[in-house]
Amino acid sequence: MKNLIETRNLVCGYGKLPVVRDLNITVGEGEVVCLLGANGAGKTTTLLTIAGALPALSGELDVMGAPVTSAKAHEIARRGLGIVPEGRGLFYRLTVAENLRLRRHRQSTVEIEDVLGYFPALRNLMGRRSGLLSGGEQQMLALAGALVADPKVVMLDEMSLGLAPIIVEQLLPTVRDIADKRGMAVLLVEQHVLAALNVADRGYVLAHGSVVAEGSSAELRKDAELLEASYLGDEKALEAAEAADLI
Ligand SMILES: Nc1ncnc2c1ncn2[C@@H]1O[C@H](COP(=O)(O)OP(=O)(O)OP(=O)(O)O)[C@@H](O)[C@H]1O
Ligand SMILES: [Mg+2]
């Protein structure tokens, strides 16, 4: 399997201040991988660094098999990496249709009609300003917008923030389905840890600024303490990972 994202000893942070150290993660073609960790663990910082929105402090980053450690965000996007950032990243004054048209570039092989197949609820809302959609509808639009750009790999930062569990349980399998059908890779940051592990192949748990546990979804799911700790914070996550023999 080809790695679409690969980091080697990547250090992510702000200015000179490292937030995540020596990160070694991979996301392969068609894989759904989740990045777990408590609030402030560095998940968003990691995604922004991979997307090229934050410069890496050190280490190496490959996207689509090419080194992009010092590449600009738009260059990395052009290689086929998409991101749905925390806070959705929509143009709220524009309509649903305008948002989708803006995200679809000329080389994209994905038609707006194709993504509406995944999110039929958006079909009747095409003329509505996206600022007037419900939270769940905005989330669907954010995801649909990322998909019409025809990404080879997409990073989703708390896609389900603020959504009802029932919507989360529909959205996440949709993501899995798209990954399976298109061979797209997904790096998923999700507070709904169990729901995320239900669709993911593998996961990494961040605490204390580094990966404290990694394994298949089944391995991570077995360890309830570790999962709980990945919401609760550093000390607990580290203890639980040690106890579970995952480091
Ligand atoms: N612009 C910034 N400048 C300096 N420090 C920052 C900046 N943004 C975030 N941080 C710090 O970096 C650390 C990691 O933040 P990050 O947003 O990556 O966490 P997260 O894992 O995404 O958390 P959450 O689950 O709350 O979204 C936190 O201590 C945060 O305060
Ligand atoms: Mg975050």
Side-chain angles (χ1 to χ4, degrees), residues 14 17 19 37-46 86 157-158 189 191 206:
Y14 302 90
L17 185 77
V19 168
N39 292 129
K43 304 178 299 292
T44 296
T45 306
T46 299
E86 247 176 343
D157 197 353
E158 309 218 8
V189 167
Q191 291 290 335
L206 277 180

CSV table of all heavy atoms in Angstrom, one decimal, residues 14 17 19 37-46 86 157-158 189 191 206, ligand 1:
chain,number,residue,atom,x,y,z
A,14,TYR,N,4.5,26.3,17.2
A,14,TYR,CA,4.3,27.7,16.8
A,14,TYR,C,5.5,28.5,17.2
A,14,TYR,O,6.0,28.4,18.3
A,14,TYR,CB,3.1,28.3,17.6
A,14,TYR,CG,1.8,27.5,17.4
A,14,TYR,CD1,1.5,26.4,18.1
A,14,TYR,CD2,1.0,27.8,16.3
A,14,TYR,CE1,0.3,25.6,17.9
A,14,TYR,CE2,-0.1,27.1,16.0
A,14,TYR,CZ,-0.5,26.0,16.8
A,14,TYR,OH,-1.6,25.3,16.5
A,17,LEU,N,8.2,27.2,19.6
A,17,LEU,CA,7.7,26.3,20.6
A,17,LEU,C,7.1,25.0,20.1
A,17,LEU,O,6.1,25.1,19.4
A,17,LEU,CB,6.6,27.1,21.3
A,17,LEU,CG,6.0,26.4,22.6
A,17,LEU,CD1,6.9,26.5,23.8
A,17,LEU,CD2,4.6,27.1,22.9
A,19,VAL,N,4.9,21.8,19.9
A,19,VAL,CA,3.7,21.3,20.5
A,19,VAL,C,3.7,19.7,20.4
A,19,VAL,O,3.3,19.0,21.3
A,19,VAL,CB,2.4,21.9,19.9
A,19,VAL,CG1,1.2,21.2,20.3
A,19,VAL,CG2,2.3,23.4,20.2
A,37,GLY,N,-6.7,12.2,21.0
A,37,GLY,CA,-6.0,12.9,22.1
A,37,GLY,C,-6.9,13.9,22.7
A,37,GLY,O,-7.9,14.4,22.1
A,38,ALA,N,-6.6,14.3,24.0
A,38,ALA,CA,-7.4,15.2,24.7
A,38,ALA,C,-7.3,16.6,24.1
A,38,ALA,O,-6.5,16.9,23.2
A,38,ALA,CB,-6.9,15.3,26.2
A,39,ASN,N,-8.2,17.5,24.6
A,39,ASN,CA,-8.1,18.9,24.2
A,39,ASN,C,-6.7,19.4,24.4
A,39,ASN,O,-6.2,19.2,25.5
A,39,ASN,CB,-9.1,19.8,25.0
A,39,ASN,CG,-10.6,19.4,24.6
A,39,ASN,OD1,-11.4,19.2,25.5
A,39,ASN,ND2,-10.9,19.4,23.4
A,40,GLY,N,-6.2,20.1,23.4
A,40,GLY,CA,-4.9,20.7,23.6
A,40,GLY,C,-3.7,19.7,23.3
A,40,GLY,O,-2.6,20.1,23.5
A,41,ALA,N,-4.0,18.5,22.9
A,41,ALA,CA,-3.0,17.5,22.7
A,41,ALA,C,-2.1,17.8,21.5
A,41,ALA,O,-1.0,17.3,21.4
A,41,ALA,CB,-3.6,16.1,22.6
A,42,GLY,N,-2.6,18.6,20.6
A,42,GLY,CA,-1.9,18.9,19.4
A,42,GLY,C,-2.4,18.4,18.1
A,42,GLY,O,-1.7,18.4,17.1
A,43,LYS,N,-3.7,17.9,18.1
A,43,LYS,CA,-4.2,17.3,16.9
A,43,LYS,C,-4.4,18.3,15.8
A,43,LYS,O,-3.9,18.1,14.6
A,43,LYS,CB,-5.6,16.7,17.2
A,43,LYS,CG,-5.5,15.7,18.4
A,43,LYS,CD,-6.9,15.1,18.7
A,43,LYS,CE,-7.9,16.2,19.2
A,43,LYS,NZ,-7.6,16.8,20.5
A,44,THR,N,-5.0,19.5,16.1
A,44,THR,CA,-5.2,20.5,15.0
A,44,THR,C,-3.8,21.0,14.5
A,44,THR,O,-3.6,21.2,13.3
A,44,THR,CB,-6.0,21.6,15.6
A,44,THR,OG1,-7.3,21.1,15.9
A,44,THR,CG2,-6.1,22.8,14.6
A,45,THR,N,-2.9,21.2,15.5
A,45,THR,CA,-1.5,21.7,15.1
A,45,THR,C,-0.9,20.7,14.1
A,45,THR,O,-0.3,21.1,13.1
A,45,THR,CB,-0.7,21.8,16.4
A,45,THR,OG1,-1.4,22.6,17.3
A,45,THR,CG2,0.7,22.4,16.1
A,46,THR,N,-1.1,19.4,14.4
A,46,THR,CA,-0.5,18.4,13.5
A,46,THR,C,-1.1,18.5,12.1
A,46,THR,O,-0.4,18.5,11.1
A,46,THR,CB,-0.8,17.0,14.1
A,46,THR,OG1,-0.1,16.9,15.3
A,46,THR,CG2,-0.2,15.9,13.2
A,86,GLU,N,-11.2,22.7,11.6
A,86,GLU,CA,-12.1,23.0,12.7
A,86,GLU,C,-12.8,24.2,12.4
A,86,GLU,O,-12.3,25.2,11.9
A,86,GLU,CB,-11.2,23.3,13.9
A,86,GLU,CG,-11.2,22.3,15.0
A,86,GLU,CD,-10.2,22.6,16.2
A,86,GLU,OE1,-9.3,23.4,16.0
A,86,GLU,OE2,-10.4,22.0,17.3
A,157,ASP,N,-11.0,17.6,10.7
A,157,ASP,CA,-10.7,18.0,12.0
A,157,ASP,C,-12.0,18.3,12.8
A,157,ASP,O,-12.7,19.3,12.6
A,157,ASP,CB,-9.9,19.3,12.1
A,157,ASP,CG,-9.2,19.6,13.4
A,157,ASP,OD1,-9.6,18.8,14.4
A,157,ASP,OD2,-8.4,20.5,13.5
A,158,GLU,N,-12.4,17.3,13.6
A,158,GLU,CA,-13.6,17.4,14.4
A,158,GLU,C,-14.8,17.7,13.5
A,158,GLU,O,-15.6,18.6,13.8
A,158,GLU,CB,-13.5,18.4,15.5
A,158,GLU,CG,-12.2,18.2,16.3
A,158,GLU,CD,-12.3,18.4,17.7
A,158,GLU,OE1,-13.5,18.6,18.2
A,158,GLU,OE2,-11.3,18.3,18.4
A,189,VAL,N,-9.7,13.4,12.9
A,189,VAL,CA,-9.6,13.8,14.3
A,189,VAL,C,-11.0,13.9,14.8
A,189,VAL,O,-11.9,14.6,14.1
A,189,VAL,CB,-8.9,15.2,14.4
A,189,VAL,CG1,-9.1,15.8,15.8
A,189,VAL,CG2,-7.4,15.1,14.1
A,191,GLN,N,-13.8,13.7,18.3
A,191,GLN,CA,-14.0,13.6,19.8
A,191,GLN,C,-14.9,12.4,20.1
A,191,GLN,O,-14.8,11.8,21.2
A,191,GLN,CB,-14.7,14.9,20.3
A,191,GLN,CG,-13.8,16.1,20.3
A,191,GLN,CD,-12.7,16.0,21.4
A,191,GLN,OE1,-12.8,15.3,22.4
A,191,GLN,NE2,-11.6,16.7,21.1
A,206,LEU,N,-2.3,10.8,20.9
A,206,LEU,CA,-1.4,11.9,21.2
A,206,LEU,C,-1.5,12.3,22.7
A,206,LEU,O,-2.6,12.5,23.1
A,206,LEU,CB,-1.6,13.1,20.4
A,206,LEU,CG,-1.1,13.3,19.0
A,206,LEU,CD1,-1.5,14.6,18.4
A,206,LEU,CD2,0.5,13.1,19.0
B,1,LIG,N1,-1.6,29.9,17.4
B,1,LIG,C1,-1.0,29.3,18.5
B,1,LIG,N2,0.1,29.8,19.1
B,1,LIG,C2,0.6,29.2,20.2
B,1,LIG,N3,0.1,28.1,20.7
B,1,LIG,C3,-1.0,27.6,20.2
B,1,LIG,C4,-1.6,28.1,19.0
B,1,LIG,N4,-2.7,27.4,18.7
B,1,LIG,C5,-2.7,26.4,19.6
B,1,LIG,N5,-1.7,26.5,20.5
B,1,LIG,C6,-1.4,25.5,21.6
B,1,LIG,O1,-0.9,24.3,21.1
B,1,LIG,C7,-1.4,23.2,21.8
B,1,LIG,C8,-2.2,22.2,21.0
B,1,LIG,O2,-3.3,22.9,20.4
B,1,LIG,P1,-4.2,22.1,19.3
B,1,LIG,O3,-5.2,23.1,18.8
B,1,LIG,O4,-3.3,21.5,18.3
B,1,LIG,O5,-4.9,21.0,20.2
B,1,LIG,P2,-6.0,20.0,19.8
B,1,LIG,O6,-5.5,18.6,20.1
B,1,LIG,O7,-6.5,20.2,18.4
B,1,LIG,O8,-7.2,20.3,20.8
B,1,LIG,P3,-8.8,20.3,20.7
B,1,LIG,O9,-9.2,18.9,20.9
B,1,LIG,O10,-9.2,21.2,21.8
B,1,LIG,O11,-9.1,20.9,19.4
B,1,LIG,C9,-2.3,23.8,22.9
B,1,LIG,O12,-1.6,23.9,24.1
B,1,LIG,C10,-2.6,25.2,22.4
B,1,LIG,O13,-2.8,26.1,23.4
